[in-house]
């Protein structure tokens, strides 16, 4: 058994970034920047009016009302490109260039136009610089504004667009094949027969892998048969950057995934991690593909995917932050750790009245309790060897990305639904 941190380090060491590709800006959301984004213009590109009003010289309106001659108009997209002299003003709109010679803008509300005479009365004095954003005050041409390795989010799109990135270089999406193994499995569309269960791992892994930025193929179910496993694993590995299997990696008589990998000549980097849940996790390379052999239990799948496989998928795309970021929360109920393994226990995060982030451990029945896990928004990390952590203690929590809403930090939204297990509102019972 190797420590979790060592296993993650091995994943980082064995994973290389895929070549970059260029995508249209409209398709860039969620992709990882493979180039630094550099300003190709000053921002603003010219001295810009921040108000509708009159461009003037502050000295001309030191005593008010001041009557000044209107000599022109500067609109957004159509500036007034002459020298404005003392005693003159230029009518100006928000976003328009401030003419040379002007040093302030007085807003239209503080002026009164003199009917038909081509004059305006400025009713209040302004300081020089008022309502003008000077050229390059925000960004200078040549400045780096976003960095390679950052994930492109909605808030960044304006920056990319404004500096002319009609196409953006991003990390290529890894091609992931997902393969559930186990002779008991039937597809979700089937009614399980005697001794059978529906496969959920293929769907879980495919979902997490898509959220991590991969393109995913779900493969047909494979039974517990070494020769068949070898055939399917070899085929899938040859066709993908990453193969993620589930099941067949524990110590049972029919756990053949590892044997199949070994017989195919895969290089196995680790096969047991001091982790709860998720001890029998396998990480290997077969040909050019990385292979994650995740355990069969659905909760173990979620935990080990997010710790290991997700990390590889992010590195492949060139992400600067490849692992889930950790937060500190205050424990809302005692949790028990394990003597020889590091634990990642399902929890819900919420904030109390004072704004403190609380981690509420879910009551769950172990690594097969995927129904309790369905409400999880965070994993509480209990270090190896720590027996019990008391209510009120600070704990490290990881937040697996489970949906777009969650990525936007709406854990309260999910917490609100948490008590609904077994009772989805009026009269309906699970
Ligand atoms: P294994 O790791 O193959 O021993 O599986 C551990 C447990 O997870 C068993 O109860 C399996 O039935 C269950 N399991 C394995 N694969 C899946 C799957 N694809 N979907 C749901 N449960 C699974
Ligand atoms: Mg099995």
């Amino acid at each position: 058994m190797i420590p979790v941190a060592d296993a993650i380090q091995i994943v980082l060491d064995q994973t290389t970034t895929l070549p970059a590709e260029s995508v249209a800006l409209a398709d860039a959301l969620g992709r990882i920047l493979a180039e630094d984004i550099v300003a190709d213009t000053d921002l603003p590109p010219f001295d810009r009016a921040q108000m509708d009003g009159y461009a003037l010289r502050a000295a001309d309106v030191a005593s008010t009302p001041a009557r000044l001659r209107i000599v022109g108009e500067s609109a957004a997209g159509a500036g007034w490109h002459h020298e404005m002299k003392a005693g003159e003003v230029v009518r100006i709109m928000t976003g328009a260039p401030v003419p040379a010679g002007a040093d302030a803008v007085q807003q239209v509300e503080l002026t009164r136009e003199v009917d038909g005479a081509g004059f305006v009365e400025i009713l209040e004095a302004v300081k020089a610089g008022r309502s003008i954003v000077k050229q390059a005050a925000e960004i200078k041409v040549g400045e780096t504004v976003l960095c390679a390795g950052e994930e492109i989010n909605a808030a960044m799109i304006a920056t990319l667009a404004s500096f002319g990135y009609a196409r953006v270089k991003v990390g290529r999406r890894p091609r992931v094949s997902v393969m559930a193994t186990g002779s008991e499995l039937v597809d979700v569309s089937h009614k399980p027969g005697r001794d059978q269960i529906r496969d959920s791992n293929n769907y879980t892994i495919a979902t997490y892998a898509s959220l991590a930025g991969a393109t995913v193929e779900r493969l047909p179910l494979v039974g517990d048969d070494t020769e068949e496993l070898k055939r399917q694993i070899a085929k899938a590995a040859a066709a993908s950057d990453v193969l993620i299997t589930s099941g067949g990696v524990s110590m049972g008589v029919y756990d053949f995934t590892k044997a199949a990998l070994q017989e195919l000549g895969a290089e196995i980097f680790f096969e047991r991690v001091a982790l709860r849940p998720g001890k029998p996790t396998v990480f290997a390379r077969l040909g050019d593909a990385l292979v994650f052999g995740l355990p069969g239990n659905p909760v173990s799948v979620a935990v080990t995917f997010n710790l290991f496989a997700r990390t590889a998928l992010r590195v492949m795309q060139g992400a600067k932050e490849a692992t889930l970021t950790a937060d500190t929360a205050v424990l809302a109920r005692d949790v028990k750790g394990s003597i020889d393994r590091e634990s990642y226990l399902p929890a819900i995060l919420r904030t109390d009245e004072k704004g403190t982030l609380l981690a509420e451990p879910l009551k769950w029945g172990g690594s097969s309790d995927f129904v309790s896990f369905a409400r999880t928004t965070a994993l509480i990390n209990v270090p190896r060897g720590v027996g019990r952590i008391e209510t009120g203690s600070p704990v490290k929590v990881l937040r697996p990305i489970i949906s777009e809403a969650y990525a936007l930090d709406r854990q309260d939204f999910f917490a609100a639904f948490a008590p609904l297990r077994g009772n989805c509102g009026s009269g309906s019972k699970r």
Side-chain angles (χ1 to χ4, degrees), residues 182-417:
S183 297
E184 73 278 32
L185 302 176
V186 297
D187 185 71
V188 56
S189 57
H190 288 65
K191 181 108 187 127
R194 195 171 73 171
D195 304 336
Q196 293 183 321
I197 62 166
R198 289 196 181 95
D199 157 52
S200 64
N201 291 342
N202 258 358
Y203 291 91
T204 298
I205 295 169
T207 304
Y208 279 125
S210 308
L211 279 172
T215 56
V216 183
E217 187 181 4
R218 273 185 290 108
L219 299 174
L221 302 172
V222 183
D224 296 314
D225 173 296
T226 312
E227 289 311 311
E228 181 62 8
L229 274 167
K230 278 166 67 179
R231 263 194 304 278
Q232 298 306 334
I233 287 175
K235 201 165 91 182
S240 38
D241 301 307
V242 180
L243 167 63
I244 308 177
T245 67
S246 62
V249 286
S250 23
M251 305 300 274
V253 181
Y254 295 100
D255 289 328
F256 297 138
T257 304
K258 212 162 54 191
L261 283 167
Q262 271 155 346
E263 286 178 32
L264 286 168
E267 184 181 359
I268 298 196
F269 302 119
F270 59 77
E271 53 190 83
R272 272 155 64 88
V273 184
L275 170 63
R276 181 180 76 133
K279 177 164 75 171
T281 299
V282 177
F283 177 47
R285 187 197 312 281
L286 181 57
D288 291 332
L290 294 178
V291 182
F292 290 90
L294 307 185
N297 272 313
V299 179
S300 309
V301 159
V303 170
T304 55
F305 177 91
N306 278 290
L307 290 176
F308 308 121
R310 180 182 182 280
T311 300
L313 299 182
R314 301 301 281 177
V315 170
M316 286 178 152
Q317 293 167 84
K320 211 160 35 182
E321 302 278 341
T323 52
L324 291 172
T325 46
D327 288 304
T328 303
V330 172
L331 198 58
R333 206 159 347 102
D334 291 11
V335 291
K336 270 202 223 123
S338 149
I339 302 202
D340 61 343
R341 290 190 280 162
E342 184 172 332
S343 307
Y344 285 85
L345 307 174
I348 289 175
L349 289 183
R350 60 183 172 82
T351 36
D352 67 10
E353 321 76 58
K354 292 190 205 115
T356 308
L357 188 64
L358 296 180
E360 187 153 344
L362 284 160
K363 282 209 184 70
W364 68 306
S367 56
S368 60
D369 189 357
F370 48 82
V371 178
S372 290
F373 193 80
R375 300 296 189 205
T376 296
T377 61
L379 300 169
I380 297 173
N381 175 226
V382 184
R384 169 155 75 155
V386 172
R388 170 181 289 275
I389 306 184
E390 311 254 305
T391 306
S393 311
V395 282
K396 187 177 128 184
V397 293
L398 293 183
R399 307 185 191 201
I401 307 299
I402 51 182
S403 78
E404 200 182 327
Y406 184 67
L408 293 176
D409 223 356
R410 292 180 56 199
Q411 64 270 46
D412 283 351
F413 172 83
F414 291 92
F417 287 91

Side-chain angles (χ1 to χ4, degrees), residues 2-307:
I2 63 167
V4 174
D6 293 6
I8 291 173
Q9 191 56 51
I10 291 171
V11 171
L12 291 169
D13 292 345
Q14 294 301 330
T15 309
T16 47
T17 300
L18 297 168
E21 64 185 12
S22 149
V23 295
L25 178 57
D27 300 322
L29 182 68
R31 305 298 295 270
I32 308 293
L33 277 173
E35 60 180 330
D36 292 343
I37 300 303
V38 178
D40 75 334
T41 62
D42 287 334
L43 222 59
F46 43 77
D47 293 354
R48 182 178 65 199
Q50 248 183 334
M51 289 278 184
D52 295 321
Y54 292 88
L56 46 73
R57 295 172 186 238
D60 286 348
V61 296
S63 65
T64 52
R67 180 176 252 250
L68 300 170
R69 178 198 298 278
I70 305 169
V71 293
E73 183 177 284
S74 179
W80 187 81
H81 297 288
H82 312 279
E83 178 83 21
M84 201 194 78
K85 299 189 190 68
E88 298 178 344
V89 299
V90 167
R91 188 183 286 120
I92 196 161
M93 294 358 122
T94 303
V98 176
D103 62 9
V105 169
Q106 179 56 292
Q107 65 189 86
V108 69
E109 292 85 343
L110 301 178
T111 68
R112 187 190 315 129
E113 204 165 323
V114 183
D115 280 346
F119 284 89
V120 64
E121 271 183 3
I122 307 297
L123 304 177
E124 277 188 27
V126 285
K127 286 209 182 80
R130 180 67 180 274
S131 298
I132 296 177
V133 187
K134 297 294 279 181
Q135 175 170 350
E138 291 160 355
I139 299 291
K140 288 193 174 44
V141 63
E143 226 175 284
T144 298
V145 288
L146 299 173
C147 301
E150 292 189 81
E151 179 175 331
I152 298 172
N153 64 31
M156 294 173 180
I157 298 295
T159 296
L160 293 165
S162 297
F163 296 122
Y165 284 82
R167 299 192 69 81
V168 195
K169 277 202 199 102
V170 297
R172 175 163 80 65
R173 294 183 184 281
R175 288 165 312 192
V176 171
S177 296
V178 184
M179 182 192 294
T181 75
S183 297
E184 73 278 32
L185 302 176
V186 297
D187 185 71
V188 56
S189 57
H190 288 65
K191 181 108 187 127
R194 195 171 73 171
D195 304 336
Q196 293 183 321
I197 62 166
R198 289 196 181 95
D199 157 52
S200 64
N201 291 342
N202 258 358
Y203 291 91
T204 298
I205 295 169
T207 304
Y208 279 125
S210 308
L211 279 172
T215 56
V216 183
E217 187 181 4
R218 273 185 290 108
L219 299 174
L221 302 172
V222 183
D224 296 314
D225 173 296
T226 312
E227 289 311 311
E228 181 62 8
L229 274 167
K230 278 166 67 179
R231 263 194 304 278
Q232 298 306 334
I233 287 175
K235 201 165 91 182
S240 38
D241 301 307
V242 180
L243 167 63
I244 308 177
T245 67
S246 62
V249 286
S250 23
M251 305 300 274
V253 181
Y254 295 100
D255 289 328
F256 297 138
T257 304
K258 212 162 54 191
L261 283 167
Q262 271 155 346
E263 286 178 32
L264 286 168
E267 184 181 359
I268 298 196
F269 302 119
F270 59 77
E271 53 190 83
R272 272 155 64 88
V273 184
L275 170 63
R276 181 180 76 133
K279 177 164 75 171
T281 299
V282 177
F283 177 47
R285 187 197 312 281
L286 181 57
D288 291 332
L290 294 178
V291 182
F292 290 90
L294 307 185
N297 272 313
V299 179
S300 309
V301 159
V303 170
T304 55
F305 177 91
N306 278 290
L307 290 176

